Amino acid sequence: MRVEQLMTRNVRACKPDDSLSAAAQIMWEHDCGCVPVVIPGDGAPTLVGMITDRDVCMAAYTQGHPLHTSPVKGAMATRLCTCRPTDAIAVALTVMRNNRLHRIPVVDAADHLLGILSLTDIAREAARARPGDRELSPTSIAETVEAIARPRTTPRDLVAP
């Protein structure tokens, strides 16, 4: 199975100079936890970043500015992990697992945004898969969820000396 078979197309995006408030509004109105950040491209928007609901919250807390005055470019991630529409789902799961991501943008060779693939998209398909389908096995999904959810620090690291 390929990424293009499960990815969400026609994804709402924002621009680097849009406000964090505008990005949060897209997330609220479209019930999503991240928004791709794009710039106009040759025929299609070019992906330059990703902004998550957590990024918005952390920017609001650490910067102390109202969301409507803070640009997306100040809080977006620019180190991007992507996949291609023709990649196997196993490739996307590996990218998610290794980079602790719930979702990854799908781009073409010129980094034009084509869609987003989420772990939820994959899990839904796994629930419909035939028993014995190794690519969408419950073990593969569980390993990915475990890797994403693994704490960055151990509880011992959080205790004051």
Side-chain angles (χ1 to χ4, degrees):
M1 180 165 288
R2 294 188 319 263
V3 167
E4 64 192 347
Q5 294 172 274
L6 299 182
M7 72 183 198
T8 299
R9 300 170 193 273
N10 301 320
V11 177
R12 287 291 310 262
C14 62
K15 297 180 181 106
D17 290 326
D18 288 347
S19 70
L20 290 177
S21 180
Q25 182 176 359
I26 292 169
M27 291 178 208
W28 176 258
E29 291 175 355
H30 297 276
D31 192 26
C32 60
C34 75
V35 177
V37 183
V38 298
I39 56 174
D42 51 342
T46 301
L47 182 70
V48 295
M50 292 290 285
I51 185 95
T52 67
D53 48 5
R54 186 175 193 282
D55 296 332
V56 173
C57 290
M58 292 295 102
Y61 175 71
T62 61
Q63 296 173 10
H65 302 292
L67 295 182
H68 70 277
T69 65
S70 299
V72 166
K73 65 185 168 194
M76 71 183 195
T78 57
R79 185 184 147 284
L80 301 173
C81 299
T82 62
C83 63
R84 303 274 191 252
T86 54
D87 286 345
I89 294 299
V91 170
L93 281 170
T94 299
V95 171
M96 290 176 173
R97 189 178 307 118
N98 292 343
N99 295 282
R100 304 175 69 168
L101 300 170
H102 293 264
R103 41 192 106 66
I104 52 176
V106 182
V107 297
D108 64 15
D111 288 331
H112 295 138
L113 180 65
L114 303 175
I116 289 184
L117 180 70
S118 73
L119 185 57
T120 302
D121 297 329
I122 298 169
R124 284 187 185 130
E125 184 63 24
R128 293 188 292 264
R130 296 179 312 280
D133 185 340
R134 296 181 58 131
E135 186 176 42
L136 296 175
S137 74
T139 301
S140 178
I141 304 293
E143 288 171 350
T144 303
V145 171
E146 188 280 327
I148 291 169
R150 187 178 304 133
R152 295 187 194 285
T153 58
T154 62
R156 177 176 5 176
D157 295 335
L158 300 176
V159 176

